[in-house]
Amino acid sequence: MIMVKCNVNVNLKKPVKKKAEPADEPPVKRRGKVPRISRLMALAIRMDEMLRRGEAQDTIELAKMGKVSQPRLTQILSLSLLAPEIQEALLYLPREMTGRSKIHERNLRPITKQLYWVKQREMWSDLIRSVGPAAKDV
């Protein structure tokens, strides 16, 4: 029989996580939240891409993937029919610090039904004027 003697150190304390090395630039803390309409616009663009690439066969399949009703998905997808400048404005709305958004998807439905981008831009300008000074940056 062979007998081996050795010392074993047992530490019952939780290991201390090492702090990450500080980067050259401090991380930027963003306050507020991304407006819901901005997230919906991004979702509409993504879903439109999925349909064009064939990742989803139709809106029914997309609705199942997104766990929403087909009519709601159609409402969201209609945002992709907006003029490019309006889409960009929606994507880059300022973050919301307090309260609710002043621009809602429901407000945009009449604009999405308009076929002509010139008319859409006019309707968009009217909407921005009506929601007040908070959206003037758009």
Side-chain angles (χ1 to χ4, degrees):
M1 172 170 38
I2 301 175
M3 196 181 321
V4 177
K5 288 186 177 185
C6 64
N7 292 331
V8 177
N9 291 328
V10 179
N11 187 356
L12 299 177
K13 295 180 181 177
K14 291 184 180 179
V16 178
K17 293 182 181 178
K18 292 183 181 180
K19 293 182 180 178
E21 292 294 320
D24 293 339
E25 298 176 17
V28 177
K29 281 193 173 184
R30 295 191 173 207
R31 302 192 91 180
K33 62 180 182 175
V34 175
R36 180 176 174 81
I37 192 64
S38 297
R39 294 191 313 263
L40 287 174
M41 184 70 245
L43 183 62
I45 292 169
R46 174 70 177 121
M47 289 182 165
D48 188 50
E49 285 272 322
M50 290 175 75
L51 286 172
R52 289 175 194 264
R53 289 184 181 167
E55 295 174 30
Q57 290 181 348
D58 54 17
T59 56
I60 296 170
E61 187 177 339
L62 270 178
K64 287 178 184 175
M65 286 175 167
K67 298 179 183 172
V68 295
S69 67
Q70 195 272 332
R72 178 63 181 144
L73 182 95
T74 302
Q75 289 172 343
I76 295 168
L77 271 176
S78 70
L79 294 173
S80 64
L81 301 174
L82 291 168
E85 302 85 41
I86 299 172
Q87 290 184 24
E88 185 176 4
L90 290 172
L91 288 170
Y92 292 104
L93 285 172
R95 288 178 170 264
E96 299 169 344
M97 297 303 166
T98 58
R100 293 182 165 220
S101 296
K102 299 200 183 256
I103 301 174
H104 302 277
E105 181 268 333
R106 181 174 285 157
N107 303 98
L108 295 168
R109 289 180 198 166
I111 301 174
T112 62
K113 291 178 184 173
Q114 184 54 245
L115 297 177
Y116 299 105
W117 286 352
V118 172
K119 183 65 176 165
Q120 284 185 1
R121 289 180 192 111
E122 291 172 11
M123 294 171 77
W124 171 251
S125 295
D126 293 341
L127 175 64
I128 293 303
R129 266 186 253 117
S130 71
V131 295
K136 294 290 184 196
D137 301 334
V138 178

